[in-house]
Amino acid sequence: MRETLDFLLFDWLKAADLTARERFAEHSTETFAAVLDTCERIARDKFAPFNRLADTQEPHFDGERVHLPQATHDATLAYAESGMLAAAQDYEFGGMQLPCVMEMAGNAFFSKASVAMGGYAMLTSGNASLLMAHGTPLQREVFAKNEFAGRWFGTMCLSEPQAGSSLSDVATRAELEDEADALGPRYRLTGHKMWISGGEHEITENIVHLVLAKVPGPDGKPIPGTKGISLFICPKWLVNECAELTGERNDIVLAGLNHKLGYRGTTNCLLNLGEKGQGAVGYLVGKVGDGLRCMFHMMNEARIGVGLGAVMLGYAGYEASLDYAKQRPQGRPMTAAGKDSASPQRPIIEHADVRRMLLAQKSYVEGGLALELYCARLVDELHTGDNAAEAQAVLDVLIPIAKSWPSEWCLEANSLAIQVLGGYGYTRDFPVEQYWRDQRLNMIHEGTHGIQALDLLGRKVVQQGGASLAALAARIQQTIEHAIQTDWAPQANQLAAALAQVGGATKKAWSTGEPEEALANAVPYMQAFGHTVLAWLWLDVALSVDGTSDFAQGKRAAARYFFAYELPKIGAWLDVVARREPLCRDIKAEYF
Amino acid sequence: MRETLDFLLFDWLKAADLTARERFAEHSTETFAAVLDTCERIARDKFAPFNRLADTQEPHFDGERVHLPQATHDATLAYAESGMLAAAQDYEFGGMQLPCVMEMAGNAFFSKASVAMGGYAMLTSGNASLLMAHGTPLQREVFAKNEFAGRWFGTMCLSEPQAGSSLSDVATRAELEDEADALGPRYRLTGHKMWISGGEHEITENIVHLVLAKVPGPDGKPIPGTKGISLFICPKWLVNECAELTGERNDIVLAGLNHKLGYRGTTNCLLNLGEKGQGAVGYLVGKVGDGLRCMFHMMNEARIGVGLGAVMLGYAGYEASLDYAKQRPQGRPMTAAGKDSASPQRPIIEHADVRRMLLAQKSYVEGGLALELYCARLVDELHTGDNAAEAQAVLDVLIPIAKSWPSEWCLEANSLAIQVLGGYGYTRDFPVEQYWRDQRLNMIHEGTHGIQALDLLGRKVVQQGGASLAALAARIQQTIEHAIQTDWAPQANQLAAALAQVGGATKKAWSTGEPEEALANAVPYMQAFGHTVLAWLWLDVALSVDGTSDFAQGKRAAARYFFAYELPKIGAWLDVVARREPLCRDIKAEYF
């Protein structure tokens, strides 16, 4: 995987060019490589060997404390010590000023080694970054800084038992207590927060919860919709302005741990706020009613992070099944004369169908990695590049794909990995079944598949009169124009046709202007869109490899596979979109 | 599900007509219904409530004995007492002389309630049926009869650690000890048997293992290939001619339990034969070298059984997610004017994308049920019908689909069920995650997906000059001709085109006569073939519903869904088949 990662970063995405920018001027190819080396080493030594343990020794609550394996403590603290929590932050704040693409690349190793053990750090980094963007100087100093240092970990508290995807129904209530608290306007919060990853543990001495809640309007009732949502810092243990624990426990109580199918190494909690009386102490971040905007400020990075996690689970399964396929003897070639059963069995990688399953995985996971790194590179363009507007437009359209595509297709990769191992893959003696279980979360959290599809077809491709979609199409067109001059002309033509088909379906979906008609087939649309994007990236990657090394041939084979076996799937998906197929919209509930 | 089952059996497949045949003359619609009632009741009372328990209280071995939950004992013995173990057997042998289609329909309830707890009985029934076909009168009397009575349970011992899909590499060795034993020629067996479901437990006082092994040739070496394989009865405890336990333990030792991703309620074992010295006692069934033919005599029923198990897991998930979708409020309609966030949330079944996920599930699980019952009905035609040859031909082609299609698409159904439940679906508080885990086995056991595809494209569709495929095509054509006269004409035309496309791809795949070229894309071929078969069955089912009841409209909606969203997928699969896409065949192992 390292070779592919290096190739994508340095040959394909020209990550080294970033060092010419002022913010990254102190970096070099060497410092970038050193970061990857460090991450690779810690992930190999501290995470990967304990991934199964974190699954089997699921977090448990003894009524007072939540217990995690010691390995989880050790691994997350080793991560914190590496400085990666603050990788993208300013030097003056203890950061490394790494480009987003390098931060993501470094984190890829941890997601591959143990996505669940890596969860605590990812949440903490995202939480603290959000405070850097929206917190007061003292909130940054007290909370963000201690999170970056790994002294405290963080969470994101959005969902509630009655409000998962529908955040406008958040019912947690925040009442003002003291406008003038140095840590920010102090409120008292009452409510229930569900699906809180990292919501309770004793890895760190404190946990910094970022909580969405509603401040009542003048009539004393919560303001309907998302406009009424504000954001609060609710530390598990109260702290003073010097970031010292006061010794007083905030009124945030663990109501229960969720027992999950996978991802078991990360605690996932139902938290009760204000159960004991006055309400949990929370300090307002940003303005009242601005909570969702603040929370979603980091959404691009969060969704790239989830997508990358999905990709790396797929990658882990791919490598495990490839390794098995090279070593496991089984069966013999079938020829027109039958099989020679007296000959020795051959490794299963010699069977075309096993190679098909490996090639599919390769195309999904390496293509997915290209997608996530490409998006991370766009984040860098957004922050330090020459044409931020263009980068923003392309990124806007790609984000729902970056989140959704690997969660669906790297799940398929994980299933194929099980299939390659056969009965052994179905046992817990091999890691592939856990990857598959862990992976299944990714279509659900951080915005479900359905939500991503609404974001794509309902907002992103139509925003500013379709300008964002046009910006992406222009980039795809560039690749096509380049490819058409090469041996890849057939694929270039195929991609051009796919792009036209996506564009046509987008128009037809919206031709009546009725959201319910356009969006009834948003998921098939997103599937087709995603496959088109991946075909484009594979073509672009294929154009950038040189020579006839095994590595180069492998990349070309995966690209060809994607065009031969995958891209043709879009027709079936787009047909229903283009004709605004009303079946699912119209069927009555009683017919089921 | 009962309403759909009754409809498919009695309205669509005219199961009651079978009572006109001599073998089923004592049956009636009432006796058939009584069987279904009994199965439904036992499954509901004894199986379903303990399905999660059988998963969490996984079988464990204390070094001497294997422990299972008491519920598993109770459930399997209740099944045995119902008489279903011998459902299809002659009255004189204690059976019910039920048609295959009714036996399968009854067993569907158990697969839905707990596929893993039901495993012991399915294996026992298959084992004993095999002995009825190939055993001596005394073998039937001693072994089969006691299995049908539920006194002893049975297993099938095919795989070995080094020989999973490749049975020609079976290395278990059988040496003749006494040609003249009353229970059959007595051999001593030495070897290892892997993946043996039901291989050890104490539900019954004895276990009857059916074991594949090789008798050495004149040179003392095992005969290469499958021709050298023979079949043996190896009881866990030795018995005499009166079916009494002698008290002597046979030399079959549990080497270990496999710890699986799902299907945990069924023990799965590595067994060592002859570990202690002389070898395990085994009585030859049939002739030396005829083992595989004997073992596969019941293969059609076994594969329909696996397919039906896959369907019923899908069905269980569909019902759970449908129930949830009707009750769970979340979100509001999106209109051109936006959302009214002050209005109450609506049940998620009101969202088009949730309905899409439910409709997809419905089309997979009800279509799958139609497929399995159709195949079982063909088994009845084969045994008691007027045109056994035609039934055999159609059944031959359908069997790989009956095994493979639900294992792939009802897995997708189970994944969609999780998605409908969102975060809750990912927890172990709801049953859908277990269904998904249990289901994943079905693409692996009883012949992997790849093996089914080779059977279909490598043998079934080309056998007798394509006569079997032609027989199936003739039946499909009949449905098309009927449908073309109705509102279903567009679907009829779509199906005709699909059938032509499958036929064309079959020819092109074999146009060079090279198996390696034809079979490199056998799995995509099978996927397209399966979807075409399911489209046909859905069209046929849709034609057979009357009126405008919710039930009838639901069937029509599912049929329309399949034609709108599913059948168009075949193009992408068949393209690679038709052009004998060489990518997977040609790629070198080093390129990965």
Side-chain angles (χ1 to χ4, degrees):
Chain A
M1 170 257 201
R2 179 66 185 268
E3 192 181 359
T4 293
L5 185 66
D6 284 342
F7 163 75
L8 291 174
L9 286 172
F10 301 113
D11 294 319
W12 184 53
L13 292 175
K14 314 282 183 225
D17 292 357
L18 290 166
T19 60
R21 298 184 185 172
E22 194 186 334
R23 181 168 177 82
F24 312 122
E26 295 190 27
H27 280 291
S28 63
T29 313
E30 288 69 35
T31 64
F32 286 169
V35 168
L36 298 183
D37 290 345
T38 302
C39 291
E40 188 171 13
R41 179 176 47 76
I42 298 174
R44 186 190 58 224
D45 295 347
K46 298 283 186 178
F47 284 73
F50 308 103
N51 189 41
R52 173 64 71 175
L53 182 80
D55 181 68
T56 52
Q57 289 187 20
E58 193 174 24
H60 73 100
F61 181 49
D62 65 10
E64 272 189 43
R65 299 166 60 178
V66 169
H67 299 271
L68 296 174
Q70 185 59 38
T72 303
H73 291 247
D74 297 344
T76 51
L77 294 177
Y79 182 92
E81 279 164 26
S82 75
M84 280 299 288
L85 283 166
Q89 302 303 317
D90 294 354
Y91 293 128
E92 56 172 306
F93 217 77
M96 294 191 222
Q97 290 193 193
L98 269 189
C100 181
V101 71
M102 292 308 304
E103 182 188 21
M104 290 284 175
N107 281 332
F109 292 101
F110 300 99
S111 294
K112 177 152 162 275
S114 178
V115 76
M117 287 167 78
Y120 302 94
M122 306 299 153
L123 285 161
T124 300
S125 183
N127 172 312
S129 298
L130 191 156
L131 290 177
M132 292 303 291
H134 300 287
T136 63
L138 190 63
Q139 287 175 341
R140 295 185 205 176
E141 190 66 26
V142 170
F143 298 107
K145 198 164 191 173
N146 281 296
E147 292 187 73
F148 286 134
R151 183 182 161 208
W152 304 339
F153 278 175
T155 75
M156 304 287 198
C157 302
L158 287 75
S159 299
E160 301 184 358
Q162 84 295 346
S165 294
S166 179
L167 286 176
S168 62
D169 292 286
V170 156
T172 297
R173 193 179 167 94
E175 309 256 9
L176 183 64
E177 186 175 56
D178 180 359
E179 180 78 50
D181 195 299
L183 288 171
R186 191 171 74 235
Y187 285 72
R188 289 287 184 164
L189 278 69
T190 316
H192 310 280
K193 287 291 172 181
M194 185 59 162
W195 311 123
I196 310 309
S197 288
E200 185 56 83
H201 58 74
E202 300 197 345
I203 300 173
T204 49
E205 64 170 22
N206 205 0
I207 301 174
V208 180
H209 300 290
L210 283 178
V211 181
L212 292 184
K214 287 190 173 182
V215 179
D219 61 354
K221 288 185 192 162
I223 295 161
T226 53
K227 289 185 300 291
I229 298 175
S230 305
L231 180 65
F232 301 88
I233 302 169
C234 297
K236 172 181 166 185
W237 292 93
L238 296 180
V239 302
N240 63 23
E241 300 162 42
C242 306
E244 295 158 344
L245 303 193
T246 65
E248 190 183 346
R249 177 77 193 243
N250 202 357
D251 188 2
I252 302 173
V253 175
L254 178 68
L257 293 176
N258 291 309
H259 295 100
K260 294 168 291 176
L261 168 58
Y263 236 92
R264 295 186 186 163
T266 307
T267 55
N268 187 275
C269 311
L270 173 59
L271 299 176
N272 289 346
L273 284 77
E275 193 176 70
K276 296 177 190 159
Q278 281 185 282
V281 169
Y283 305 101
L284 182 68
V285 179
K287 292 183 191 147
V288 170
D290 212 21
L292 220 55
R293 193 184 66 83
C294 295
M295 184 61 99
F296 282 168
H297 177 88
M298 304 296 298
M299 190 173 63
N300 285 345
E301 285 90 329
R303 292 190 167 167
I304 296 170
V306 169
L308 185 64
V311 167
M312 298 321 295
L313 275 169
Y315 224 121
Y318 168 57
E319 289 186 351
S321 64
L322 177 59
D323 189 50
Y324 183 88
K326 285 179 175 170
Q327 295 179 27
R328 168 76 176 178
Q330 185 94 231
R332 296 170 183 80
M334 166 67 88
T335 67
K339 293 183 194 176
D340 175 13
S341 55
S343 67
Q345 299 197 66
R346 60 178 177 175
I348 61 171
I349 199 169
E350 299 299 321
H351 297 293
D353 193 53
V354 172
R355 287 198 284 227
R356 180 186 63 80
M357 294 191 281
L358 291 170
L359 205 43
Q361 289 180 69
K362 185 178 170 79
S363 82
Y364 299 150
V365 306
E366 294 184 358
L369 184 58
L371 168 66
E372 304 304 329
L373 295 175
Y374 192 92
C375 288
R377 186 73 170 77
L378 282 172
V379 171
D380 288 319
E381 289 309 297
L382 198 60
H383 294 152
T384 60
D386 298 331
N387 193 343
E390 194 261 356
Q392 178 78 64
V394 176
L395 189 61
D396 275 351
V397 182
L398 286 181
I399 282 296
I401 301 303
K403 160 64 173 67
S404 69
W405 194 88
S407 73
E408 180 170 359
W409 296 96
C410 294
L411 181 69
E412 177 62 19
N414 286 138
S415 185
L416 290 170
I418 293 175
Q419 195 67 22
V420 168
L421 271 76
Y424 292 100
Y426 196 69
T427 70
R428 308 202 295 276
D429 298 330
F430 287 83
V432 288
E433 64 86 24
Q434 185 185 345
Y435 300 144
W436 188 65
R437 284 187 290 112
D438 287 352
Q439 183 74 277
R440 187 62 189 79
L441 180 61
N442 287 319
M443 273 202 283
I444 298 171
H445 70 169
E446 283 287 333
T448 63
H449 228 49
I451 295 287
Q452 301 301 325
L454 294 178
D455 183 41
L456 180 68
L457 182 55
R459 295 205 307 141
K460 298 300 183 56
V461 299
V462 290
Q463 69 189 16
Q464 295 158 359
S468 301
L469 179 57
L472 174 66
R475 287 199 174 205
I476 296 177
Q477 202 56 48
Q478 273 186 350
T479 304
I480 291 171
E481 281 161 22
H482 176 188
I484 209 91
Q485 319 287 341
T486 71
D487 289 351
W488 293 91
Q491 284 83 1
N493 286 319
Q494 199 186 338
L495 179 60
L499 184 61
Q501 221 178 331
V502 168
T506 312
K507 283 205 185 69
K508 287 179 187 159
W510 280 106
S511 60
T512 61
E514 286 293 334
E516 292 235 334
E517 286 190 27
L519 300 177
N521 295 294
V523 167
Y525 177 82
M526 179 171 72
Q527 291 175 303
F529 201 102
H531 259 47
T532 304
V533 166
L534 266 286
W536 159 51
L537 294 174
W538 264 120
L539 184 58
D540 207 65
V541 166
L543 290 171
S544 76
V545 292
D546 288 323
T548 56
S549 64
D550 289 346
F551 179 86
Q553 301 285 37
K555 293 289 171 281
R556 291 189 192 107
R560 283 195 198 98
Y561 174 87
F562 204 87
F563 278 88
Y565 288 78
E566 296 293 333
L567 188 57
K569 292 178 181 173
I570 68 168
W573 291 319
L574 289 176
D575 280 354
V576 292
V577 176
R579 68 167 182 262
R580 297 183 304 287
E581 173 61 55
L583 197 54
C584 301
R585 189 158 43 86
D586 290 349
I587 187 175
K588 294 186 182 164
E590 308 83 65
Y591 291 0
F592 285 102
Chain B
M1 168 256 201
R2 178 65 186 268
E3 192 182 359
T4 293
L5 185 66
D6 283 343
F7 163 75
L8 291 174
L9 285 172
F10 301 113
D11 294 320
W12 183 55
L13 292 175
K14 314 279 183 230
D17 293 357
L18 289 166
T19 60
R21 297 183 185 171
E22 192 186 337
R23 181 168 177 81
F24 311 123
E26 294 190 28
H27 279 291
S28 63
T29 313
E30 289 70 34
T31 63
F32 286 169
V35 168
L36 298 183
D37 291 344
T38 301
C39 290
E40 189 171 13
R41 180 176 48 75
I42 298 174
R44 186 189 59 224
D45 296 347
K46 299 283 187 179
F47 283 73
F50 308 103
N51 189 42
R52 173 64 72 174
L53 181 81
D55 181 69
T56 52
Q57 289 188 20
E58 194 174 25
H60 74 99
F61 181 50
D62 65 11
E64 273 188 43
R65 299 166 60 178
V66 169
H67 299 270
L68 296 174
Q70 185 59 38
T72 303
H73 291 247
D74 298 344
T76 49
L77 294 177
Y79 182 93
E81 278 164 26
S82 76
M84 280 299 287
L85 284 166
Q89 302 302 316
D90 295 354
Y91 292 128
E92 58 171 303
F93 218 77
M96 295 192 222
Q97 290 193 193
L98 270 188
C100 181
V101 71
M102 292 308 304
E103 182 188 21
M104 289 285 174
N107 281 333
F109 291 101
F110 300 99
S111 294
K112 177 153 162 276
S114 179
V115 75
M117 287 168 79
Y120 302 94
M122 306 300 152
L123 285 160
T124 299
S125 183
N127 172 313
S129 298
L130 190 156
L131 290 177
M132 291 304 291
H134 300 287
T136 63
L138 191 61
Q139 287 175 341
R140 294 186 206 176
E141 190 66 25
V142 170
F143 298 106
K145 200 163 190 173
N146 281 296
E147 292 187 74
F148 286 133
R151 182 182 163 207
W152 303 339
F153 279 175
T155 75
M156 304 287 197
C157 302
L158 287 75
S159 298
E160 301 184 357
Q162 84 296 345
S165 295
S166 179
L167 286 175
S168 63
D169 291 287
V170 156
T172 297
R173 193 180 168 93
E175 309 258 9
L176 184 64
E177 185 175 59
D178 180 0
E179 180 78 52
D181 194 298
L183 288 171
R186 191 171 75 236
Y187 286 73
R188 291 288 186 164
L189 277 70
T190 316
H192 311 281
K193 287 291 172 180
M194 186 57 163
W195 311 121
I196 309 310
S197 288
E200 185 56 82
H201 59 74
E202 299 197 346
I203 301 173
T204 49
E205 64 170 23
N206 205 0
I207 301 173
V208 180
H209 302 288
L210 284 177
V211 181
L212 292 183
K214 287 190 172 181
V215 179
D219 60 354
K221 289 186 190 161
I223 294 161
T226 54
K227 291 185 301 291
I229 298 175
S230 305
L231 180 65
F232 301 88
I233 302 168
C234 296
K236 172 181 165 186
W237 292 93
L238 296 181
V239 302
N240 64 23
E241 300 162 42
C242 306
E244 295 157 343
L245 304 192
T246 64
E248 190 183 346
R249 178 76 192 243
N250 202 356
D251 188 3
I252 302 173
V253 175
L254 178 68
L257 292 176
N258 291 309
H259 295 99
K260 295 168 291 176
L261 168 58
Y263 236 95
R264 294 185 187 166
T266 306
T267 56
N268 188 275
C269 311
L270 173 58
L271 300 176
N272 289 347
L273 284 77
E275 193 177 71
K276 298 178 188 158
Q278 282 184 281
V281 169
Y283 305 101
L284 183 68
V285 179
K287 291 183 191 147
V288 170
D290 212 19
L292 219 55
R293 193 183 66 82
C294 294
M295 184 61 99
F296 282 167
H297 177 88
M298 303 298 297
M299 189 173 63
N300 284 345
E301 284 90 329
R303 292 190 167 168
I304 296 170
V306 169
L308 185 64
V311 167
M312 298 321 295
L313 275 170
Y315 223 121
Y318 167 57
E319 290 187 350
S321 63
L322 177 59
D323 190 49
Y324 183 88
K326 286 179 175 173
Q327 295 179 27
R328 167 78 176 176
Q330 186 95 229
R332 296 170 184 80
M334 167 67 88
T335 68
K339 293 183 195 178
D340 174 12
S341 55
S343 65
Q345 299 197 66
R346 60 178 179 177
I348 61 172
I349 197 169
E350 299 298 320
H351 297 293
D353 193 53
V354 172
R355 287 198 286 228
R356 181 188 62 81
M357 293 192 279
L358 291 170
L359 206 43
Q361 289 180 68
K362 185 178 170 79
S363 82
Y364 299 150
V365 306
E366 294 184 359
L369 184 58
L371 168 67
E372 304 305 329
L373 295 175
Y374 192 92
C375 288
R377 186 75 170 75
L378 282 172
V379 171
D380 288 319
E381 289 310 297
L382 198 60
H383 294 152
T384 60
D386 297 333
N387 193 344
E390 194 262 355
Q392 178 77 65
V394 176
L395 189 61
D396 275 352
V397 181
L398 286 182
I399 282 294
I401 301 302
K403 160 63 172 68
S404 68
W405 194 88
S407 74
E408 180 170 358
W409 296 97
C410 294
L411 182 69
E412 177 62 18
N414 286 137
S415 185
L416 289 171
I418 293 174
Q419 194 69 19
V420 169
L421 271 76
Y424 292 99
Y426 196 69
T427 69
R428 309 203 295 276
D429 298 330
F430 287 82
V432 289
E433 64 86 24
Q434 184 185 344
Y435 299 144
W436 188 66
R437 284 188 289 112
D438 287 353
Q439 183 75 275
R440 188 60 189 80
L441 181 61
N442 288 318
M443 275 202 282
I444 299 171
H445 69 169
E446 283 287 336
T448 64
H449 228 48
I451 296 286
Q452 301 301 325
L454 294 179
D455 182 41
L456 179 68
L457 182 54
R459 294 205 306 143
K460 297 301 184 56
V461 299
V462 289
Q463 69 189 16
Q464 295 158 1
S468 301
L469 179 56
L472 173 66
R475 287 198 173 207
I476 296 177
Q477 201 57 46
Q478 272 186 350
T479 303
I480 291 170
E481 281 162 22
H482 176 188
I484 209 92
Q485 319 286 341
T486 72
D487 289 350
W488 294 91
Q491 284 83 0
N493 285 320
Q494 200 186 336
L495 179 59
L499 184 61
Q501 222 179 328
V502 168
T506 312
K507 283 204 184 70
K508 286 178 188 159
W510 280 106
S511 60
T512 61
E514 286 294 334
E516 292 234 335
E517 286 189 27
L519 300 177
N521 294 294
V523 167
Y525 177 81
M526 179 171 71
Q527 291 175 302
F529 200 102
H531 259 47
T532 303
V533 166
L534 266 286
W536 159 53
L537 294 173
W538 264 120
L539 184 58
D540 208 64
V541 166
L543 290 172
S544 75
V545 291
D546 287 323
T548 56
S549 65
D550 289 346
F551 180 85
Q553 300 285 37
K555 294 287 171 282
R556 289 188 193 107
R560 282 195 199 97
Y561 174 88
F562 204 87
F563 278 88
Y565 288 78
E566 296 294 331
L567 187 57
K569 292 178 180 171
I570 69 169
W573 290 320
L574 289 177
D575 280 355
V576 291
V577 177
R579 67 167 183 262
R580 297 182 304 287
E581 173 61 56
L583 197 53
C584 300
R585 189 158 44 85
D586 290 349
I587 188 177
K588 293 186 183 165
E590 309 84 64
Y591 291 180
F592 285 102

